[in-house]
């Protein structure tokens, strides 16, 4: 467990709460080495009460007292937040941003200091400590800085390292991905009800099937294609269902959905 380095969150919303929970439960950080700031009194009271973490309404306090600063605020307010804290940032600070669509260059241009920056795209399953986060290093971030960031976000799931140019693709796949999965689950539940199952039973079957299949895919040494083939007996029920999906062009639909999300992410990034 870390004894010296302090980690501060500017913004104490759902993702910061998930990270704090994961860091404490995994014993990566002790509560006394974590800090959080938020303009919402209710948010900081909850963080303090639930986890014993020191909280403040002042972002500047986080910068003063922390070695690593996580910007966990909404993209529309990040410029204002950075303008407020930039005077207190030291050369040896590590700043990690999880503000969606905000390029590191924009943060660097506001700070006007050459300090280590890392951009991270987590996803909502981090709220239950089963997320995946993509990390992109800025020019001044070293491998040691990346290891620190991976340790932080590894407390709420898996981590992958990408170049910042790939963040729009990451957003389209893992950022938006839970929405696609939930929609497919909805469709499967509706289909199950249509063939006679009660909705509650159908929901339990579908939810556990997705959970189990995901866990199997993650832990198995087989590829996704091999796993699919293993459950697809020639002339069997799975083959019948997959044949309909192929005829209806499911693969093309998914490819088009990811492409549309990626292009939209690019567009939104240009408006920041």
């Amino acid at each position: 467990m870390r004894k010296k380095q302090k980690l501060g969150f500017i913004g104490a919303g759902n993702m910061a709460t998930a990270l704090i929970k994961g860091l404490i439960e995994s014993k990566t950080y002790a509560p006394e080495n974590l800090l959080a700031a938020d303009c919402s009194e209710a948010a900081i009271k909850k963080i303090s009460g639930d986890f014993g973490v020191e909280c403040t309404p002042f972002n500047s306090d986080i910068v003063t007292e922390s070695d690593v600063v996580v910007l966990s605020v909404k993209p529309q307010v990040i410029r204002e937040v950075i303008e407020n804290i930039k005077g207190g940032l030291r050369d040896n600070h590590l700043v990690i941003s999880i503000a969606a669509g905000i390029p590191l260059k924009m943060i660097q241009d506001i700070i006007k200091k050459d300090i280590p920056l890392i951009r991270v795209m987590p996803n909502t399953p981090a709220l239950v400590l089963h997320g995946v986060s993509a990390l992109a290093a800025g020019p001044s971030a070293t491998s040691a800085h990346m290891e620190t960031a991976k340790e932080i976000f590894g407390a709420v799931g898996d981590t992958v390292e990408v170049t910042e140019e790939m963040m729009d693709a990451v957003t389209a796949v893992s950022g938006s991905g839970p929405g696609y999965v939930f929609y497919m689950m909805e469709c499967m539940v509706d289909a199950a009800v249509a063939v006679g199952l009660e909705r509650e039973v159908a929901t339990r079957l579908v939810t556990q099937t997705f959970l189990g299949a995901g866990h199997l895919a993650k832990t198995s040494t087989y590829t996704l294609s091999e796993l699919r083939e293993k459950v697809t007996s020639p002339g069997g029920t799975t083959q019948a269902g997959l044949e309909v999906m192929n005829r209806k062009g499911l693969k093309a639909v998914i490819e088009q959905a990811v492409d549309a999300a990626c292009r939209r992410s690019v567009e939104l990034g240009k408006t920041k």
Side-chain angles (χ1 to χ4, degrees):
M1 183 180 292
R2 293 183 180 274
K3 299 296 183 183
K4 297 180 180 179
Q5 190 180 59
K6 288 213 168 187
L7 170 60
F9 293 85
I10 295 181
N14 288 336
M15 194 58 68
T17 301
L19 285 163
I20 289 169
K21 177 183 179 182
L23 289 165
I24 292 173
E25 288 186 356
S26 64
K27 301 188 185 304
T28 305
Y29 279 77
E32 58 266 27
N33 287 329
L34 297 171
L35 306 98
D38 201 282
C39 59
S40 166
E41 184 178 354
I44 58 178
K45 277 187 175 180
K46 180 168 178 54
I47 292 280
S48 178
D50 288 352
F51 304 110
V53 169
E54 181 183 345
C55 294
T56 173
F58 304 110
N59 295 337
S60 57
D61 291 348
I62 298 299
V63 176
T64 300
E65 298 182 33
S66 300
D67 304 294
V68 181
V69 176
V70 178
L71 301 173
S72 50
V73 297
K74 295 184 183 301
Q76 55 265 36
V77 301
I78 193 167
R79 182 179 292 275
E80 177 185 350
V81 168
I82 298 172
E83 289 283 2
N84 175 256
I85 66 169
K86 66 180 183 180
L89 288 171
R90 304 182 297 272
D91 291 343
N92 62 346
H93 262 123
L94 170 60
V95 176
I96 301 172
S97 171
I98 62 173
I102 302 298
L104 292 176
K105 185 179 185 305
M106 172 183 162
I107 298 173
Q108 185 73 65
D109 289 346
I110 299 171
I111 294 174
K112 292 183 171 58
K113 287 182 182 178
D114 188 21
I115 65 175
L117 300 173
I118 295 175
R119 179 178 170 185
V120 181
M121 179 67 198
N123 65 358
T124 54
L127 300 176
V128 290
L129 312 185
H130 286 284
V132 62
S133 301
L135 293 76
S140 299
T142 66
S143 58
H145 294 130
M146 284 297 285
E147 286 306 310
T148 295
K150 287 178 182 177
E151 184 179 43
I152 293 167
F153 288 87
V156 294
D158 286 345
T159 63
V160 297
E161 187 173 345
V162 299
T163 61
E164 190 176 11
E165 290 74 17
M166 290 293 101
M167 276 300 189
D168 293 312
V170 168
T171 299
V173 176
S174 63
S176 299
Y180 312 151
V181 173
F182 295 142
Y183 182 59
M184 285 187 279
M185 292 172 72
E186 287 181 76
C187 292
M188 282 190 66
V189 169
D190 289 343
V193 171
V195 295
L197 285 170
E198 295 181 0
R199 184 164 294 275
E200 181 182 352
V201 172
T203 300
R204 290 178 62 186
L205 288 170
V206 170
T207 300
Q208 189 60 37
T209 296
F210 271 74
L211 180 64
H215 184 69
L216 180 58
K218 181 177 179 179
T219 57
S220 176
T221 57
Y222 293 109
T223 66
L224 295 176
S225 294
E226 289 170 337
L227 287 171
R228 172 178 51 78
E229 289 165 359
K230 285 183 174 295
V231 77
T232 308
S233 302
T237 58
T238 306
Q239 182 176 332
L242 289 172
E243 285 176 352
V244 173
M245 293 180 184
N246 287 331
R247 285 200 305 271
K248 296 294 184 179
L250 178 61
K251 182 178 181 180
V253 168
I254 292 173
E255 289 174 348
Q256 291 166 27
V258 171
D259 181 66
C262 185
R263 286 187 281 106
R264 183 55 178 159
S265 179
V266 172
E267 292 169 0
L268 291 173
K270 291 178 179 178
T271 64
K272 299 293 189 293

